Amino acid sequence: MGPPSAGASGVFVTGTGTEVGKTAVAAAIAHTLRAGGQRVAVFKPAVTGLDDEGEPDHALLRRAAGSRQSDEEIAPYRYGPPMSPHLAAELAGEEIAPKRLLSAARAAAAGAEALVCEGVGGLLVPLAPNYLVRDFAVEVGLPLVVAAPPGLGTINHTLLTVEAARAAGLDVSAVVLTPWPRQPSAIEESNRETIAALAGIEVEALPQLDLAAPSSWPPLAPPPPQPAPSRPG
Ligand SMILES: Nc1ncnc2c1ncn2[C@@H]1O[C@H](COP(=O)(O)OP(=O)(O)O)[C@@H](O)[C@H]1O
Ligand SMILES: [Mg+2]
């Protein structure tokens, strides 16, 4: 059997860590595809932190995509405490099963023309003791988009993430800096250019969105995957 994306196109949105804008970026892409007339499914292998206030990721993604998937169909593993999914699962007395994740992602893709999948934390976060978000991304087989903050510290985190993705054979379509300020500083402008040059990648900027009003969002359609550049020496 092919990857779950077989038949459906889409993206896998990862990030340089937690709280870096993955959900905002995934939602903006899902909404852009939906506005272009595609039937969009969303997926997130595990959601943690349901005990915290605010709209959970699977609900925001569903709203952005105009999807009618159930919570269970979008995110088969959901936990209250805000912690790494492997630990949240352990405290709930279970282990996240890679096979169940993959069949759920496949089922989501089968019902749509495009699949937008959001990771959990960064690429090397464990879903289960021996199964990282990166392993799941490889099995899903969609090109990656990397969400990252625009400010100080982002060059290193973003280049590490792109390198970790490429080391596993993943294609990275773009980096998206978010939220991109209305008046970017010299540091932010330079970060954008530096990441583009050093990673050999398209770097997009997503402005501050009113998350309650998807119809007000600017389109965000990542370019097609780029092969990793060959580096001299
Ligand atoms: N472009 C954006 N517009 C509005 N809010 C954003 C944007 N980018 C990031 N944020 C905010 O930053 C915080 C972290 O973003 P989120 O997408 O939830 O990160 P992650 O999914 O990586 O944990 C949230 O409060 C989110 O609303
Ligand atoms: Mg998120």
Side-chain angles (χ1 to χ4, degrees), residues 81-103:
M83 54 180 65
S84 174
H86 80 292
L87 181 58
E90 185 187 321
L91 294 182
E94 60 184 21
E95 200 167 284
I96 291 176
K99 275 190 185 148
R100 182 177 159 203
L101 279 186
L102 206 57
S103 61

PDB file of all heavy atoms in Angstrom, residues 81-103:
ATOM      1  N   PRO A  81      -3.366  16.734  29.731  1.00  0.00           N
ATOM      2  CA  PRO A  81      -2.180  17.474  30.180  1.00  0.00           C
ATOM      3  C   PRO A  81      -1.343  18.008  29.014  1.00  0.00           C
ATOM      4  O   PRO A  81      -1.232  17.348  27.979  1.00  0.00           O
ATOM      5  CB  PRO A  81      -1.370  16.414  30.950  1.00  0.00           C
ATOM      6  CG  PRO A  81      -2.294  15.262  31.174  1.00  0.00           C
ATOM      7  CD  PRO A  81      -3.315  15.309  30.085  1.00  0.00           C
ATOM      8  N   PRO A  82      -0.782  19.220  29.199  1.00  0.00           N
ATOM      9  CA  PRO A  82       0.078  19.793  28.158  1.00  0.00           C
ATOM     10  C   PRO A  82       1.490  19.213  28.273  1.00  0.00           C
ATOM     11  O   PRO A  82       2.305  19.725  29.028  1.00  0.00           O
ATOM     12  CB  PRO A  82       0.069  21.291  28.473  1.00  0.00           C
ATOM     13  CG  PRO A  82      -0.220  21.384  29.934  1.00  0.00           C
ATOM     14  CD  PRO A  82      -0.957  20.133  30.338  1.00  0.00           C
ATOM     15  N   MET A  83       1.777  18.159  27.555  1.00  0.00           N
ATOM     16  CA  MET A  83       3.099  17.515  27.633  1.00  0.00           C
ATOM     17  C   MET A  83       3.335  16.712  26.366  1.00  0.00           C
ATOM     18  O   MET A  83       2.449  16.576  25.533  1.00  0.00           O
ATOM     19  CB  MET A  83       3.159  16.610  28.873  1.00  0.00           C
ATOM     20  CG  MET A  83       2.038  15.597  28.924  1.00  0.00           C
ATOM     21  SD  MET A  83       2.083  14.519  30.377  1.00  0.00           S
ATOM     22  CE  MET A  83       1.806  15.658  31.704  1.00  0.00           C
ATOM     23  N   SER A  84       4.558  16.184  26.246  1.00  0.00           N
ATOM     24  CA  SER A  84       4.882  15.370  25.066  1.00  0.00           C
ATOM     25  C   SER A  84       3.872  14.230  24.936  1.00  0.00           C
ATOM     26  O   SER A  84       3.481  13.621  25.932  1.00  0.00           O
ATOM     27  CB  SER A  84       6.306  14.812  25.226  1.00  0.00           C
ATOM     28  OG  SER A  84       6.577  13.921  24.155  1.00  0.00           O
ATOM     29  N   PRO A  85       3.446  13.928  23.711  1.00  0.00           N
ATOM     30  CA  PRO A  85       2.399  12.906  23.541  1.00  0.00           C
ATOM     31  C   PRO A  85       2.787  11.538  24.099  1.00  0.00           C
ATOM     32  O   PRO A  85       1.922  10.831  24.623  1.00  0.00           O
ATOM     33  CB  PRO A  85       2.182  12.851  22.024  1.00  0.00           C
ATOM     34  CG  PRO A  85       3.260  13.656  21.404  1.00  0.00           C
ATOM     35  CD  PRO A  85       3.811  14.567  22.444  1.00  0.00           C
ATOM     36  N   HIS A  86       4.058  11.168  24.022  1.00  0.00           N
ATOM     37  CA  HIS A  86       4.416   9.843  24.542  1.00  0.00           C
ATOM     38  C   HIS A  86       4.203   9.767  26.046  1.00  0.00           C
ATOM     39  O   HIS A  86       3.775   8.747  26.572  1.00  0.00           O
ATOM     40  CB  HIS A  86       5.861   9.473  24.162  1.00  0.00           C
ATOM     41  CG  HIS A  86       6.918  10.083  25.034  1.00  0.00           C
ATOM     42  ND1 HIS A  86       7.186  11.436  25.043  1.00  0.00           N
ATOM     43  CD2 HIS A  86       7.745   9.528  25.947  1.00  0.00           C
ATOM     44  CE1 HIS A  86       8.157  11.677  25.922  1.00  0.00           C
ATOM     45  NE2 HIS A  86       8.508  10.532  26.487  1.00  0.00           N
ATOM     46  N   LEU A  87       4.426  10.898  26.732  1.00  0.00           N
ATOM     47  CA  LEU A  87       4.242  10.924  28.184  1.00  0.00           C
ATOM     48  C   LEU A  87       2.754  11.040  28.539  1.00  0.00           C
ATOM     49  O   LEU A  87       2.279  10.368  29.458  1.00  0.00           O
ATOM     50  CB  LEU A  87       5.032  12.093  28.781  1.00  0.00           C
ATOM     51  CG  LEU A  87       4.968  12.244  30.297  1.00  0.00           C
ATOM     52  CD1 LEU A  87       5.455  10.982  31.003  1.00  0.00           C
ATOM     53  CD2 LEU A  87       5.792  13.451  30.747  1.00  0.00           C
ATOM     54  N   ALA A  88       2.032  11.866  27.799  1.00  0.00           N
ATOM     55  CA  ALA A  88       0.591  11.999  28.048  1.00  0.00           C
ATOM     56  C   ALA A  88      -0.097  10.646  27.862  1.00  0.00           C
ATOM     57  O   ALA A  88      -0.984  10.270  28.635  1.00  0.00           O
ATOM     58  CB  ALA A  88      -0.012  13.048  27.104  1.00  0.00           C
ATOM     59  N   ALA A  89       0.328   9.898  26.842  1.00  0.00           N
ATOM     60  CA  ALA A  89      -0.244   8.573  26.605  1.00  0.00           C
ATOM     61  C   ALA A  89       0.103   7.638  27.760  1.00  0.00           C
ATOM     62  O   ALA A  89      -0.763   6.924  28.278  1.00  0.00           O
ATOM     63  CB  ALA A  89       0.281   8.007  25.286  1.00  0.00           C
ATOM     64  N   GLU A  90       1.351   7.684  28.187  1.00  0.00           N
ATOM     65  CA  GLU A  90       1.785   6.807  29.286  1.00  0.00           C
ATOM     66  C   GLU A  90       0.976   7.081  30.556  1.00  0.00           C
ATOM     67  O   GLU A  90       0.521   6.163  31.231  1.00  0.00           O
ATOM     68  CB  GLU A  90       3.283   7.029  29.548  1.00  0.00           C
ATOM     69  CG  GLU A  90       3.873   6.084  30.576  1.00  0.00           C
ATOM     70  CD  GLU A  90       5.313   6.448  30.938  1.00  0.00           C
ATOM     71  OE1 GLU A  90       6.085   6.838  30.035  1.00  0.00           O
ATOM     72  OE2 GLU A  90       5.646   6.363  32.142  1.00  0.00           O
ATOM     73  N   LEU A  91       0.764   8.361  30.852  1.00  0.00           N
ATOM     74  CA  LEU A  91      -0.005   8.708  32.052  1.00  0.00           C
ATOM     75  C   LEU A  91      -1.464   8.279  31.921  1.00  0.00           C
ATOM     76  O   LEU A  91      -2.147   8.067  32.916  1.00  0.00           O
ATOM     77  CB  LEU A  91       0.081  10.219  32.328  1.00  0.00           C
ATOM     78  CG  LEU A  91       1.474  10.742  32.701  1.00  0.00           C
ATOM     79  CD1 LEU A  91       1.435  12.230  32.995  1.00  0.00           C
ATOM     80  CD2 LEU A  91       2.048   9.981  33.901  1.00  0.00           C
ATOM     81  N   ALA A  92      -1.925   8.152  30.671  1.00  0.00           N
ATOM     82  CA  ALA A  92      -3.293   7.680  30.446  1.00  0.00           C
ATOM     83  C   ALA A  92      -3.338   6.156  30.374  1.00  0.00           C
ATOM     84  O   ALA A  92      -4.387   5.569  30.107  1.00  0.00           O
ATOM     85  CB  ALA A  92      -3.852   8.290  29.157  1.00  0.00           C
ATOM     86  N   GLY A  93      -2.186   5.525  30.590  1.00  0.00           N
ATOM     87  CA  GLY A  93      -2.132   4.065  30.637  1.00  0.00           C
ATOM     88  C   GLY A  93      -2.161   3.399  29.278  1.00  0.00           C
ATOM     89  O   GLY A  93      -2.578   2.255  29.149  1.00  0.00           O
ATOM     90  N   GLU A  94      -1.700   4.124  28.252  1.00  0.00           N
ATOM     91  CA  GLU A  94      -1.681   3.513  26.911  1.00  0.00           C
ATOM     92  C   GLU A  94      -0.416   3.907  26.169  1.00  0.00           C
ATOM     93  O   GLU A  94       0.424   4.646  26.677  1.00  0.00           O
ATOM     94  CB  GLU A  94      -2.925   3.918  26.116  1.00  0.00           C
ATOM     95  CG  GLU A  94      -3.075   5.411  25.911  1.00  0.00           C
ATOM     96  CD  GLU A  94      -4.378   5.782  25.203  1.00  0.00           C
ATOM     97  OE1 GLU A  94      -5.328   4.977  25.222  1.00  0.00           O
ATOM     98  OE2 GLU A  94      -4.433   6.880  24.634  1.00  0.00           O
ATOM     99  N   GLU A  95      -0.291   3.404  24.956  1.00  0.00           N
ATOM    100  CA  GLU A  95       0.819   3.785  24.094  1.00  0.00           C
ATOM    101  C   GLU A  95       0.233   4.121  22.728  1.00  0.00           C
ATOM    102  O   GLU A  95      -0.667   3.427  22.252  1.00  0.00           O
ATOM    103  CB  GLU A  95       1.823   2.634  23.986  1.00  0.00           C
ATOM    104  CG  GLU A  95       3.188   3.096  23.536  1.00  0.00           C
ATOM    105  CD  GLU A  95       4.271   2.009  23.734  1.00  0.00           C
ATOM    106  OE1 GLU A  95       4.706   1.797  24.875  1.00  0.00           O
ATOM    107  OE2 GLU A  95       4.653   1.411  22.715  1.00  0.00           O
ATOM    108  N   ILE A  96       0.729   5.188  22.139  1.00  0.00           N
ATOM    109  CA  ILE A  96       0.259   5.563  20.798  1.00  0.00           C
ATOM    110  C   ILE A  96       0.748   4.514  19.806  1.00  0.00           C
ATOM    111  O   ILE A  96       1.926   4.163  19.798  1.00  0.00           O
ATOM    112  CB  ILE A  96       0.750   6.980  20.442  1.00  0.00           C
ATOM    113  CG1 ILE A  96       0.005   7.999  21.338  1.00  0.00           C
ATOM    114  CG2 ILE A  96       0.552   7.280  18.964  1.00  0.00           C
ATOM    115  CD1 ILE A  96       0.450   9.434  21.173  1.00  0.00           C
ATOM    116  N   ALA A  97      -0.177   4.008  18.989  1.00  0.00           N
ATOM    117  CA  ALA A  97       0.152   2.916  18.064  1.00  0.00           C
ATOM    118  C   ALA A  97       0.362   3.468  16.655  1.00  0.00           C
ATOM    119  O   ALA A  97      -0.579   3.980  16.045  1.00  0.00           O
ATOM    120  CB  ALA A  97      -0.966   1.881  18.056  1.00  0.00           C
ATOM    121  N   PRO A  98       1.595   3.396  16.128  1.00  0.00           N
ATOM    122  CA  PRO A  98       1.870   3.930  14.795  1.00  0.00           C
ATOM    123  C   PRO A  98       0.903   3.407  13.729  1.00  0.00           C
ATOM    124  O   PRO A  98       0.472   4.174  12.864  1.00  0.00           O
ATOM    125  CB  PRO A  98       3.306   3.457  14.527  1.00  0.00           C
ATOM    126  CG  PRO A  98       3.924   3.343  15.885  1.00  0.00           C
ATOM    127  CD  PRO A  98       2.816   2.900  16.791  1.00  0.00           C
ATOM    128  N   LYS A  99       0.546   2.146  13.805  1.00  0.00           N
ATOM    129  CA  LYS A  99      -0.351   1.581  12.781  1.00  0.00           C
ATOM    130  C   LYS A  99      -1.727   2.226  12.813  1.00  0.00           C
ATOM    131  O   LYS A  99      -2.333   2.476  11.779  1.00  0.00           O
ATOM    132  CB  LYS A  99      -0.508   0.075  12.990  1.00  0.00           C
ATOM    133  CG  LYS A  99       0.607  -0.718  12.341  1.00  0.00           C
ATOM    134  CD  LYS A  99       0.306  -2.208  12.359  1.00  0.00           C
ATOM    135  CE  LYS A  99       1.490  -2.986  11.806  1.00  0.00           C
ATOM    136  NZ  LYS A  99       1.625  -4.307  12.424  1.00  0.00           N
ATOM    137  N   ARG A 100      -2.205   2.483  14.041  1.00  0.00           N
ATOM    138  CA  ARG A 100      -3.521   3.128  14.168  1.00  0.00           C
ATOM    139  C   ARG A 100      -3.460   4.557  13.617  1.00  0.00           C
ATOM    140  O   ARG A 100      -4.387   5.024  12.949  1.00  0.00           O
ATOM    141  CB  ARG A 100      -3.962   3.121  15.636  1.00  0.00           C
ATOM    142  CG  ARG A 100      -5.333   3.718  15.828  1.00  0.00           C
ATOM    143  CD  ARG A 100      -5.811   3.654  17.281  1.00  0.00           C
ATOM    144  NE  ARG A 100      -6.853   4.648  17.514  1.00  0.00           N
ATOM    145  CZ  ARG A 100      -7.163   5.150  18.699  1.00  0.00           C
ATOM    146  NH1 ARG A 100      -6.518   4.735  19.780  1.00  0.00           N
ATOM    147  NH2 ARG A 100      -8.100   6.056  18.816  1.00  0.00           N
ATOM    148  N   LEU A 101      -2.344   5.244  13.884  1.00  0.00           N
ATOM    149  CA  LEU A 101      -2.171   6.606  13.374  1.00  0.00           C
ATOM    150  C   LEU A 101      -2.208   6.619  11.853  1.00  0.00           C
ATOM    151  O   LEU A 101      -2.865   7.457  11.231  1.00  0.00           O
ATOM    152  CB  LEU A 101      -0.821   7.177  13.808  1.00  0.00           C
ATOM    153  CG  LEU A 101      -0.705   7.751  15.199  1.00  0.00           C
ATOM    154  CD1 LEU A 101       0.666   8.382  15.363  1.00  0.00           C
ATOM    155  CD2 LEU A 101      -1.810   8.767  15.440  1.00  0.00           C
ATOM    156  N   LEU A 102      -1.469   5.680  11.275  1.00  0.00           N
ATOM    157  CA  LEU A 102      -1.357   5.663   9.825  1.00  0.00           C
ATOM    158  C   LEU A 102      -2.688   5.324   9.173  1.00  0.00           C
ATOM    159  O   LEU A 102      -3.068   5.935   8.163  1.00  0.00           O
ATOM    160  CB  LEU A 102      -0.285   4.641   9.421  1.00  0.00           C
ATOM    161  CG  LEU A 102       0.376   4.940   8.100  1.00  0.00           C
ATOM    162  CD1 LEU A 102       0.998   6.329   8.107  1.00  0.00           C
ATOM    163  CD2 LEU A 102       1.454   3.898   7.815  1.00  0.00           C
ATOM    164  N   SER A 103      -3.429   4.389   9.750  1.00  0.00           N
ATOM    165  CA  SER A 103      -4.709   4.064   9.122  1.00  0.00           C
ATOM    166  C   SER A 103      -5.700   5.208   9.300  1.00  0.00           C
ATOM    167  O   SER A 103      -6.514   5.479   8.412  1.00  0.00           O
ATOM    168  CB  SER A 103      -5.263   2.725   9.615  1.00  0.00           C
ATOM    169  OG  SER A 103      -5.476   2.779  10.986  1.00  0.00           O
TER     170      SER A 103
END
